[in-house]
Amino acid sequence: MNGIDSIGEFSRTKQGAFNEACYVFARSENMARLAEIIGMSPTMLRNKLNPDQPHVLSCVEAIILAKVSGNHIIVNSLLLGLGVVTAYIPPNTMDDAFVLCALESSTHSGELSRMALEYAGNQRLTRAQKHKLIHTAHASIGVQVKLIRSLEKLNQGVCLLKAMDERGGANGLSASNINSDQ
């Protein structure tokens, strides 16, 4: 960034993205249910998500809302300003097999391709179209991270045996010798 004008422009565009994310979040989630879970009045929560109101959503509140709702649009809008994209991975899916992750990745890629073809002739996307694309892209990123993790886990056993062969070779031991002795 060069100069005050660049910082001002950066601030203006990022504030706009944050306001848009708050608007979409408020329209897509059940505010009464979320407010009850986090211990805030529904009116106050709606006000904090409305940029025209004086109440401001804190960073911690944005993270709590993401954690409770599973909707990360507000946090993602902030991090995207830093050039960072998040990848949410549901805790019960960390042990998914490589093949399952590859197939799920293909599904998301196909959906993104379908949307690209559907919207190809449009000069502009509607708010709903834009956020549907972003949601699908974020889901795809999450699956890519799971795919990488499944590959790492798949090869962990092989790397361990290779390391044992390399270290044990110096001592006259190897994984094949250990297995053959049994």
Side-chain angles (χ1 to χ4, degrees):
M1 272 186 256
N2 296 342
I4 303 268
D5 291 336
S6 297
I7 293 171
E9 178 64 18
F10 179 80
S11 178
R12 187 185 63 72
T13 59
K14 297 313 161 198
Q15 185 64 52
F18 176 76
N19 292 348
E20 173 74 12
C22 287
Y23 174 83
V24 170
F25 184 90
R27 299 301 176 271
S28 64
E29 298 296 329
N30 182 338
M31 293 293 103
R33 184 184 70 79
L34 286 175
E36 182 181 334
I37 292 170
I38 65 172
M40 185 183 295
S41 77
T43 302
M44 179 57 77
L45 181 57
R46 282 188 197 92
N47 286 345
K48 286 184 175 222
L49 293 168
N50 182 348
D52 296 328
Q53 295 293 322
H55 303 287
V56 178
L57 186 70
S58 73
C59 291
V60 172
E61 289 168 335
I63 291 171
I64 290 170
L65 286 173
K67 186 136 184 96
V68 169
S69 69
N71 184 340
H72 299 92
I73 190 168
I74 296 171
V75 174
N76 287 337
S77 75
L78 293 170
L79 293 174
L80 193 55
L82 298 173
V84 176
V85 179
T86 60
Y88 175 72
I89 304 165
N92 59 345
T93 62
M94 286 307 291
D95 292 328
D96 285 354
F98 168 71
V99 173
L100 181 62
C101 292
L103 290 173
E104 193 176 354
S105 177
S106 295
T107 301
H108 288 298
S109 293
E111 180 63 11
L112 286 169
S113 297
R114 184 198 63 74
M115 285 189 243
L117 289 172
E118 180 181 335
Y119 305 144
N122 299 3
Q123 291 294 330
R124 295 181 66 101
L125 297 177
T126 66
R127 181 179 280 157
Q129 291 169 331
K130 174 186 163 188
H131 288 288
K132 185 176 180 183
L133 271 164
I134 290 170
H135 177 76
T136 304
H138 276 285
S140 180
I141 292 166
V143 171
Q144 296 295 322
V145 172
K146 284 186 348 186
L147 179 76
I148 291 167
R149 180 159 165 83
S150 70
L151 280 171
E152 289 172 347
K153 288 180 97 175
L154 185 67
N155 289 332
Q156 260 178 347
V158 173
C159 292
L160 180 62
L161 287 176
K162 186 175 179 187
M164 284 177 60
D165 275 343
E166 289 171 0
R167 292 181 102 200
N171 298 331
L173 297 174
S174 70
S176 57
N177 290 345
I178 293 170
N179 290 334
S180 65
D181 290 343
Q182 295 174 350

